C-alpha cells in the first residue's frame, strides 16, 4: 500500500510535466474535487484487497451468477441481464452492468449500496429510472448512462456526482432542477441527444461547477447561454449553430478550450472572444466562415486555432498576431487554414510572426 | 483433517483473489486527429508535448476519449497514462505505434469500435497491461503477443471463429477470459487452448455455436460459463481435474445426458445451472456431492424425481444445505415428488417446484 501511495505521488509529480501548464489548472481542481477526502481508494478499480471472510462452507462471497466480484468491484457486463441483480454485496464500490438488456432501474435496485462510487449502466435499454433509485447511493461519483433510451436527465441523481455521461439517449430536455445541489459535478457528457436550445431550462446549472461539458451531435442552433460559469472546456461540435454572438461567452470567462467544429457558423461577431481572455484552443473547422474571426491577436494565451474547411477568401496580416506594444504570452503551436478559398501565396509571411515554428501553420493543400 | 479441508477450501479463494492491480478506472480522451490523414480531414500540425487530446478528459492519469467518433487512436497520449478509454468510437485498426510510450498503462478499453485488425506488435510496449477490453468489434481472431501481465481479457461480440493455443500460451497472470457471442464452433477450438494460463479462474464462452465442453481446461478454474451454446451432453472427461470449480453455467443448451460420475470430478461445485436443456432426469451424483447448494433444472424434460436424487440416504452427510433448487416447467408433477426428497434443504422456500413461485 505504501508503495502505491508513493507511486501515486510520483505519478502526480511527473504528470505536471506532461500535461503542461494549461491543463494543470483543470487537473488540479479535478484532483481536489474528485477524490473523497477521507477515502484514499476512489479509483474505479480499487487497490486494496478485501479481508478474507472465514466462512467455512461458503467459499465464495455472495456474487450474482456469471458476474465477477473482487475487491468491491462487481463486474456483470455482457450477460444479457434484463434487470439489475438483487444480490450485489452491500460494500460494493463499483458495478459494471454495461452491455446488457436492462430496461429499468427500479426503486430498490441500488438499495443499501452506500459505498457505491461508480456505476456503469451504458449500453442497455433503460427508459425509466425510479425517482428514488439513488436514495442509498450517497457516495456515487461516476454515473455512466450512455447508449440508453432516457428522454430526460433522471430526477434526484446523487448530489455527490462528479461525472455524468448520458451520451446517445433521447434526452430532449434538461429540467431546471436536474443538477440541483450537485456541487461537485465536473464532467458532463450529454452529446448525441435530440436537445435544442429551448430544451435547456434557464437556471438548470445554477450553483453547479462543471469544468467540462460536451453537447455535441445535438440540435443546438446557438451557443447555450445558461451553462455554468465555471466552464474550462466547452464542446459543441456537430450542431447547427449558425453564428457566434457578442454575448455568447460572457458567462464563461475561464474557458480554455472551445470546440465549435462541424457547425454552420457564418459569422463570429466582433468582440465575441474578448470575454474569454484565457482561451488556449479554438476549433472552428468545417463551418461557413468568410473571414478569420476578429479579436484573435488579443488572446494572449491562444495556441491552437482550427479554421480549415471554411469559406475564408482572405487572410489579413494582422488577423492572428498582435501589433505594436501588446505581446503574446504563448506562441501559436497550431493554426490550420487549408481547404479554404484563400491561396497560400496571397497570405503574407508576416501574418504568422508569432508562431512557435514553421510547422505550426498548415495553409494549403500541398 | 478439518484443517486440511479448510485449506483446501481456501485454495480456490487464493487463486480467485487475483485482482491486485494498481489500476485506476476513469475515462476518456481524443485528438482532433493529427498526422496520417489527408489534409482535408485534419491538420498535420505538431503539437508540442503530450497534452490531453482535444475533447478528451485527462485526469488522475486516466485518459477518457469515449463517444467521440474517432477513427484512430489519438497520438501523443500522456506517457504516464494508466487507463485509456476509447470505447464507442469508429476505430478500424490498431497500428503498431498506437500505444508506444504507454508503459504504465493498466487498462485499455476499446469496446464498441470497428476494429478488424490489430498489428502483432501493437501491444508490445504495454508491459503493465492488466485489462484489455475488446468487446463489440469485428475481430476474427484474438491478437497474438498479448502482454504477459494481462489479467482480464474481454472479447465479447466479435467475429471470432478460432481459438488457438499459441494466443493464450504463457499468459500466466490471466484470471478472466470472456469470449461470449462469437461465431465460434467446437472445431475452431484448439484442444487445450486455455491450458497455458496457469492462474485462469473464470471463463465465459456463451452464445456461440460450440457443441461440447472445451477439453483441457486449466485446473485453476473456479467458474465456467457456457450458457446459450449447442452442447448436447456433459462428459466426465472434459470436467476431469477441475477440482476448484465452484460455478458451472450450462443453461440454454441442448443437454440431454450427464455422464455418471461427472459431478464427482468437480468436488467443490457450489452452483450448477442446467435450466433450459433437454434433461430427462435429475443428474446423478447430487446426493453424494458435499458442497452443492444451487441446482437449476427448470425448463427441462424431467418426468420423475426420486427420493434419493438430491439428498443422501439417512443421516445428512452434506456439508452445505441447498439454498436453491428449481424444477418448475418440467413434465414431473409436484404432487408426485415425495416430501422427503428435499430432507437436506435449508428451508422449504428455496425449492421451486411447480409453475407457481
Amino acid at each position: 500500500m505504501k508503495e502505491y501511495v508513493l507511486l501515486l505521488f510520483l505519478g502526480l509529480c511527473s504528470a505536471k510535466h506532461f500535461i503542461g501548464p494549461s491543463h494543470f489548472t483543470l487537473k488540479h481542481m479535478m484532483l481536489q474535487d474528485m477524490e473523497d477526502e477521507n477515502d484514499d481508494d476512489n479509483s474505479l478499480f480499487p487497490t486494496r484487497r478485501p479481508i478474507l471472510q472465514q466462512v467455512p462452507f461458503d467459499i465464495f462471497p455472495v456474487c450474482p451468477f456469471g458476474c465477477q466480484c473482487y475487491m468491491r468491484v462487481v463486474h456483470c457486463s455482457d450477460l444479457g441481464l434484463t434487470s439489475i441483480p438483487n444480490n450485489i454485496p452491500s460494500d460494493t464500490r463499483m458495478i459494471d452492468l454495461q452491455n446488457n438488456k436492462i430496461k429499468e432501474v427500479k426503486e430498490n435496485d441500488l438499495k443499501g449500496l452506500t459505498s457505491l462510487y461508480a456505476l456503469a449502466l451504458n449500453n442497455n435499454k433503460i427508459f425509466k429510472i425510479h425517482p428514488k433509485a439513488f436514495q442509498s447511493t450517497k457516495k456515487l461519483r461516476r454515473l455512466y448512462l450512455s447508449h440508453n433510451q432516457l428522454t430526460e436527465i433522471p430526477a434526484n441523481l446523487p448530489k455527490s456526482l462528479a461525472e455524468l455521461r448520458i451520451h446517445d439517449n433521447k434526452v430532449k430536455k434538461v429540467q431546471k432542477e436536474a443538477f440541483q445541489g450537485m456541487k461537485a459535478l465536473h464532467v458532463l457528457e450529454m452529446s448525441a441527444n435530440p436537445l435544442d436550445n429551448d430544451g435547456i431550462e434557464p437556471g438548470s446549472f445554477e450553483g453547479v461547477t462543471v469544468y467540462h461539458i460536451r453537447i455535441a451531435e445535438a440540435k443546438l442552433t446557438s451557443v447555450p447561454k445558461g451553462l455554468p460559469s465555471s466552464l474550462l472546456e466547452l464542446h459543441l461540435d456537430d450542431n447547427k449553430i449558425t453564428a457566434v454572438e457578442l454575448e455568447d461567452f460572457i458567462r464563461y470567462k475561464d474557458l480554455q478550450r472551445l470546440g465549435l467544429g462541424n457547425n454552420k457558423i457564418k459569422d463570429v461577431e466582433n468582440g465575441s472572444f474578448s470575454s474569454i481572455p484565457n482561451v488556449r484552443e479554438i476549433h472552428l473547422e468545417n463551418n461557413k466562415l468568410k473571414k478569420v474571426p476578429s479579436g484573435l491577436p488579443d488572446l494572449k494565451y491562444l495556441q491552437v486555432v482550427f479554421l480549415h474547411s471554411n469559406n475564408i477568401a482572405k487572410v489579413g496580416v494582422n488577423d492572428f498576431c498582435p501589433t505594436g506594444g501588446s505581446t503574446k504570452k504563448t506562441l501559436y503551436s497550431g493554426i490550420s487554414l487549408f481547404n479554404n478559398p484563400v491561396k497560400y501565396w496571397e497570405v503574407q509571411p508576416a501574418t504568422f510572426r508569432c508562431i512557435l515554428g514553421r510547422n505550426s501553420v498548415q495553409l494549403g493543400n500541398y | 483433517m478439518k484443517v486440511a479441508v479448510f485449506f483446501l477450501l481456501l485454495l480456490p479463494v487464493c487463486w480467485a483473489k487475483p485482482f491486485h492491480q494498481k489500476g485506476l478506472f476513469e475515462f476518456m480522451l481524443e485528438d482532433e486527429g493529427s498526422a496520417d490523414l489527408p489534409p482535408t480531414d485534419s491538420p498535420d500540425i505538431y503539437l508540442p508535448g503530450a497534452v490531453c487530446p482535444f475533447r478528451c478528459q485527462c485526469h488522475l492519469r486516466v485518459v477518457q476519449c469515449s463517444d467521440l467518433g474517432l477513427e484512430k487512436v489519438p497520438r501523443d497520449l500522456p506517457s504516464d497514462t494508466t487507463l485509456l478509454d476509447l470505447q464507442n468510437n469508429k476505430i478500424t485498426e490498431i497500428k503498431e505505434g498506437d500505444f508506444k510510450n504507454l508503459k504504465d498503462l493498466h487498462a485499455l478499453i476499446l469496446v464498441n469500435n470497428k476494429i478488424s485488425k490489430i498489428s502483432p506488435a501493437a501491444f508490445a510496449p504495454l508491459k503493465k497491461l492488466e485489462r484489455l477490453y475488446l468487446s463489440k468489434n469485428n475481430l476474427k481472431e484474438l491478437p497474438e503477443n498479448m502482454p504477459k501481465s494481462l489479467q482480464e481479457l474481454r472479447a465479447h461480440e466479435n467475429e471470432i471463429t478460432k481459438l488457438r493455443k499459441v494466443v493464450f500460451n504463457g499468459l500466466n497472470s490471466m484470471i478472466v477470459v470472456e469470449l461470449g457471442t462469437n461465431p465460434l464452433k467446437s472445431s475452431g477450438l484448439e484442444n487445450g487452448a486455455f491450458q497455458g494460463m496457469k492462474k485462469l479462474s473464470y471463463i465465459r464462452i456463451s452464445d456461440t455455436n460450440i457443441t461440447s465442453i472445451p477439453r483441457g481446461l486449466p485446473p485453476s478454474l473456479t467458474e465456467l460459463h457456457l450458457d446459450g451454446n449447442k452442447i448436447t451432453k456433459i462428459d466426465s472427461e472434459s470436467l476431469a481435474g477441475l477440482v476448484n470449480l465452484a460455478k458451472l453455467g450450462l443453461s440454454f443448451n441442448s443437454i440431454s445426458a450427464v455422464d455418471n460420475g461427472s459431478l464427482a470430478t468437480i468436488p467443490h461445485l457450489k452452483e450448477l445451472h442446467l435450466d433450459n436443456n433437454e434433461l430427462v432426469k435429475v443428474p446423478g451424483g447430487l446426493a453424494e456431492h458435499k458442497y452443492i447448494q444451487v441446482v437449476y433444472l427448470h425448463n427441462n424434460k424431467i418426468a420423475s424425481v426420486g427420493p434419493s436424487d438430491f439428498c443422501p440416504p439417512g443421516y445428512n452427510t452434506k456439508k452445505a444445505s441447498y439454498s436453491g433448487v428449481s424444477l418448475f416447467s418440467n413434465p414431473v408433477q409436484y404432487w408426485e415428488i415425495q416430501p422427503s426428497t428435499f430432507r437436506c434443504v435449508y428451508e422449504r422456500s428455496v425449492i421451486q417446484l411447480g409453475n407457481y413461485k
Side-chain angles (χ1 to χ4, degrees), chain A residues 265-363:
Chain A
I265 301 170
K266 277 188 182 150
D267 190 47
V268 177
E269 202 173 337
N270 281 352
S272 298
F273 294 140
S274 64
S275 43
I276 45 171
N278 297 312
V279 72
R280 263 86 169 156
E281 220 169 312
I282 298 176
H283 290 222
L284 278 163
E285 75 279 7
N286 291 297
N287 274 291
K288 298 183 185 305
L289 291 173
K290 294 194 184 71
K291 61 186 191 81
V292 177
S294 69
L296 298 184
D298 302 325
L299 300 171
K300 287 191 163 58
Y301 301 96
L302 190 63
Q303 291 169 29
V304 176
V305 190
F306 284 178
L307 292 166
H308 58 271
S309 303
N310 273 284
N311 293 326
I312 299 170
K314 206 175 141 249
V315 174
V317 72
N318 294 324
D319 278 357
F320 292 96
C321 299
T323 49
S326 68
T327 47
K328 276 184 75 71
K329 301 258 190 207
T330 52
L331 300 174
Y332 286 105
S333 58
I335 295 176
S336 71
L337 277 164
F338 60 84
N339 222 1
N340 275 295
V342 65
K343 300 285 182 270
Y344 67 89
W345 55 83
E346 294 167 359
V347 183
Q348 291 188 41
T351 308
F352 305 115
R353 60 191 175 272
C354 59
I355 62 167
L356 204 61
R358 53 190 284 268
N359 292 334
S360 306
V361 179
Q362 201 177 347
L363 263 184

Side-chain angles (χ1 to χ4, degrees), chain A residues 49-156:
Chain A
R49 295 179 185 210
I51 297 155
L52 272 184
Q53 284 175 339
Q54 304 209 337
V55 182
F57 298 120
D58 200 28
I59 53 169
F60 280 82
V62 177
C63 183
F65 195 72
C67 303
Q68 300 119 46
C69 304
Y70 53 86
M71 295 202 317
R72 300 166 73 192
V73 171
V74 176
H75 239 302
C76 303
S77 64
D78 309 302
L79 290 169
L81 301 174
T82 52
S83 61
I84 297 179
N86 57 14
N87 48 344
I88 292 169
S90 63
D91 63 343
T92 299
R93 291 184 52 91
M94 178 190 164
I95 308 177
D96 182 357
L97 283 163
Q98 66 181 290
N99 205 14
N100 280 293
K101 293 172 181 166
I102 299 166
K103 285 185 179 158
E104 211 180 317
V105 181
K106 299 191 206 81
E107 181 173 358
N108 294 323
D109 279 353
L110 307 169
K111 201 176 179 178
L113 300 176
T114 51
S115 305
L116 199 64
Y117 166 84
L119 175 61
L121 284 166
N122 43 311
N123 216 350
N124 274 284
K125 299 180 188 305
I126 300 169
F127 69 97
K128 199 171 152 191
I129 293 182
H130 193 280
K132 288 181 178 171
F134 292 103
Q135 229 170 12
S136 296
T137 56
K138 301 239 182 281
K139 283 190 183 169
L140 194 67
R141 303 284 282 163
R142 303 172 188 285
L143 178 59
Y144 303 115
L145 293 169
S146 298
H147 308 282
N148 277 293
Q149 313 283 328
L150 294 168
T151 53
E152 53 181 69
I153 309 288
N156 305 318

Side-chain angles (χ1 to χ4, degrees), chain B residues 317-330:
Chain B
T317 52
K318 279 186 85 68
K319 303 277 187 195
S321 327
Y322 287 105
S323 60
V325 175
S326 70
L327 275 165
F328 61 87
S329 294
N330 273 296

Side-chain angles (χ1 to χ4, degrees), chain B residues 50-329:
Chain B
V51 296
C52 189
F54 196 67
R55 296 189 293 165
C56 302
Q57 294 122 42
C58 308
H59 59 91
L60 293 170
R61 304 170 77 190
V62 167
V63 176
Q64 162 70 285
C65 298
S66 65
D67 305 306
L68 292 170
L70 299 176
E71 287 168 15
K72 54 187 180 163
V73 177
R75 281 205 315 179
D76 295 329
L77 298 166
S79 64
D80 62 343
T81 303
T82 56
L83 186 148
L84 174 57
D85 186 351
L86 286 165
Q87 71 179 297
N88 294 315
N89 281 294
K90 293 173 181 165
I91 300 168
T92 51
E93 191 187 340
I94 301 298
K95 300 197 195 78
E96 180 169 346
D98 277 355
F99 306 120
K100 62 167 192 285
N101 302 331
L102 298 184
K103 54 188 183 342
D104 291 331
L105 202 67
H106 287 140
L108 175 58
I109 302 171
L110 291 165
V111 174
N112 209 1
N113 275 282
K114 298 178 187 308
I115 302 167
S116 58
K117 203 173 150 193
I118 296 178
S119 159
F123 296 134
L126 309 177
K127 300 282 184 221
K128 291 186 188 166
L129 194 70
E130 292 174 347
R131 299 159 184 282
L132 177 57
Y133 296 175
L134 294 168
S135 300
K136 291 171 92 68
N137 276 293
N138 304 328
L139 292 171
K140 293 205 158 45
E141 254 197 279
L142 288 171
E144 279 183 42
N145 306 320
M146 286 187 282
K148 299 270 180 270
S149 52
L150 213 56
Q151 296 183 3
E152 183 178 354
L153 172 69
R154 296 181 176 267
H156 191 92
E157 237 180 300
N158 273 278
E159 294 162 17
I160 299 169
T161 53
K162 253 194 281 184
L163 290 180
R164 291 179 303 144
K165 209 170 170 173
V166 61
V167 164
F168 295 116
N169 238 344
L171 297 181
N172 282 332
S173 305
M174 191 79 93
I175 294 142
V176 175
V177 173
E178 146 68 87
L179 298 168
T181 316
N182 276 294
L184 199 60
K185 289 181 185 167
S186 285
S187 56
L189 236 152
E190 195 176 340
N191 247 349
F194 302 103
Q195 227 157 19
M197 295 180 278
K198 300 294 178 222
K199 272 195 212 160
L200 194 64
S201 171
Y202 177 108
I203 295 183
R204 184 158 185 263
I205 309 178
S206 296
D207 303 306
T208 73
N209 297 319
I210 60 169
T211 48
S212 60
I213 298 174
R215 292 290 170 98
L217 297 169
S220 51
L221 215 58
T222 60
E223 293 197 35
L224 178 59
H225 296 276
L226 298 170
D227 44 296
N229 285 301
K230 299 185 166 127
I231 298 168
T232 52
K233 70 179 278 202
I234 300 182
D235 47 318
S236 52
E237 229 172 293
S238 47
L239 295 174
L242 299 183
V243 290
N244 294 297
L245 198 68
K247 295 188 180 183
L248 177 57
L250 285 164
S251 309
F252 293 97
N253 275 286
S254 310
I255 298 167
S256 55
V258 178
D259 273 0
N260 270 343
S262 296
L263 290 177
T265 61
I266 39 176
H268 288 102
L269 195 69
K270 192 183 133 187
E271 200 158 343
L272 173 63
H273 290 211
L274 276 167
D275 52 281
N276 294 285
N277 275 292
E278 313 275 319
L279 291 172
V280 292
K281 61 187 188 85
V282 177
L286 286 176
E288 294 79 37
H289 208 283
K290 286 196 169 58
Y291 300 105
I292 200 140
Q293 289 175 22
V294 176
V295 185
Y296 284 177
L297 292 168
H298 57 270
N299 271 315
N300 273 285
K301 295 179 175 167
I302 299 169
S304 76
V305 174
S308 305
D309 278 356
F310 290 95
C311 299
Y315 182 69
N316 186 10
T317 52
K318 279 186 85 68
K319 303 277 187 195
S321 327
Y322 287 105
S323 60
V325 175
S326 70
L327 275 165
F328 61 87
S329 294

Side-chain angles (χ1 to χ4, degrees), chain A residues 59-60, chain B residues 7-17 222 244 268:
Chain A
I59 53 169
F60 280 82
Chain B
F7 274 108
L8 203 70
L9 282 171
L10 275 183
L11 216 59
V13 179
C14 301
W15 276 327
K17 191 163 44 172
T222 60
N244 294 297
H268 288 102

